[in-house]
Amino acid sequence: MAYPAKYPQLNETELTEHARDLLVRVIRVAFPHPTFPDSPYQRTANIILEESKSSTWLRVTLTQGLLTLDSLSAGDFTALDEDQATAVLRSIEHTDFFGFIRRTTVLNLYDDPEVWKAVGYEGSSFELGGYVHRGFNDLDWVPEPLIEEPADVPFSPLPGLKRPQTGAVRIPAASAADATGDGTPISTNQPGELAASHEGVER
């Protein structure tokens, strides 16, 4: 990280226009969306700068972090290509500086109406009566639902599926006893057990 002894501007904690451009570049590299215009990234950078004013610690952390990025990038982080810039950010991703940028960006970049438009999100609909009558079924990339059964696919029960029997079933006790081979009635999975002394049991 950069230190005040080498970078006296850290003592001032006032960020320059280059620092703002550098911050925009950091956000763009950390959250790459080719379809997003520059303005949401710029507005997010402005929010980060405003939040840093609430605390001297945040201002110093932000200033120190941006200076460090330049020092790790041969003097100018904004001059790096995407792969080089990503590699530099990965080297400082566990710092308080990058954590501050990341959490603030997540909360604000994706809450920007211009970003909503870029991704096809229409925004909150509660105050407009909900989505039932305004956009509930207008997604053209979702396949149409299957409403009718295809004529060439006959409908039939699953193989081996039998209708369960209901009502009274008369089970001969002698047949149940013979099935065990020793005269002991077997269980028929019916409520209760067969009485061997009866010829049949009403179930």
Side-chain angles (χ1 to χ4, degrees):
M1 297 295 285
Y3 297 97
K6 187 174 181 181
Y7 298 94
Q9 56 267 50
L10 279 175
N11 296 318
E12 309 226 347
T13 68
E14 288 296 331
L15 293 170
T16 64
E17 191 61 31
H18 171 71
R20 181 180 180 277
D21 294 340
L22 178 54
L23 181 56
V24 172
R25 175 67 171 154
V26 169
I27 300 170
R28 170 71 84 170
V29 172
F31 297 85
H33 296 282
T35 60
F36 287 11
D38 290 334
S39 48
Y41 289 101
Q42 293 168 351
R43 284 191 287 271
T44 302
N46 290 337
I47 292 173
I48 293 174
L49 293 174
E50 284 299 314
E51 288 197 10
S52 71
K53 294 178 180 179
S54 65
S55 162
T56 300
W57 183 87
L58 284 178
R59 289 198 302 275
V60 171
T61 298
L62 186 60
T63 306
Q64 183 184 40
L66 294 174
L67 288 170
T68 297
L69 286 180
D70 272 346
S71 69
L72 294 173
S73 310
D76 189 1
F77 178 82
T78 61
L80 301 181
D81 62 28
E82 295 296 320
D83 291 339
Q84 293 172 329
T86 300
V88 171
L89 290 185
R90 287 191 181 281
S91 70
I92 54 94
E93 64 181 338
H94 298 298
T95 62
D96 292 336
F97 158 73
F98 189 75
F100 170 48
I101 292 178
R102 179 176 55 225
R103 63 176 174 269
T104 309
T105 299
V106 167
L107 293 174
N108 293 279
L109 178 63
Y110 300 106
D111 197 35
D112 190 298
E114 200 168 354
V115 168
W116 297 350
K117 184 177 180 180
V119 299
Y121 174 54
E122 298 179 0
S124 174
S125 187
F126 176 79
E127 62 275 13
L128 300 175
Y131 283 113
V132 174
H133 301 297
R134 53 178 306 276
F136 174 73
N137 196 31
D138 63 356
L139 297 177
D140 55 8
W141 50 270
V142 176
E144 291 296 325
L146 181 64
I147 304 300
E148 299 178 355
E149 292 290 339
D152 58 342
V153 181
F155 175 78
S156 63
L158 295 174
L161 185 64
K162 296 181 180 180
R163 183 185 298 278
Q165 295 183 351
T166 58
V169 178
R170 189 176 184 81
I171 304 173
S175 298
D178 291 343
T180 64
D182 60 0
T184 303
I186 62 171
S187 172
T188 61
N189 293 324
Q190 299 283 349
E193 294 295 332
L194 294 173
S197 60
H198 294 169
E199 291 184 0
V201 179
E202 195 77 21
R203 298 296 181 199

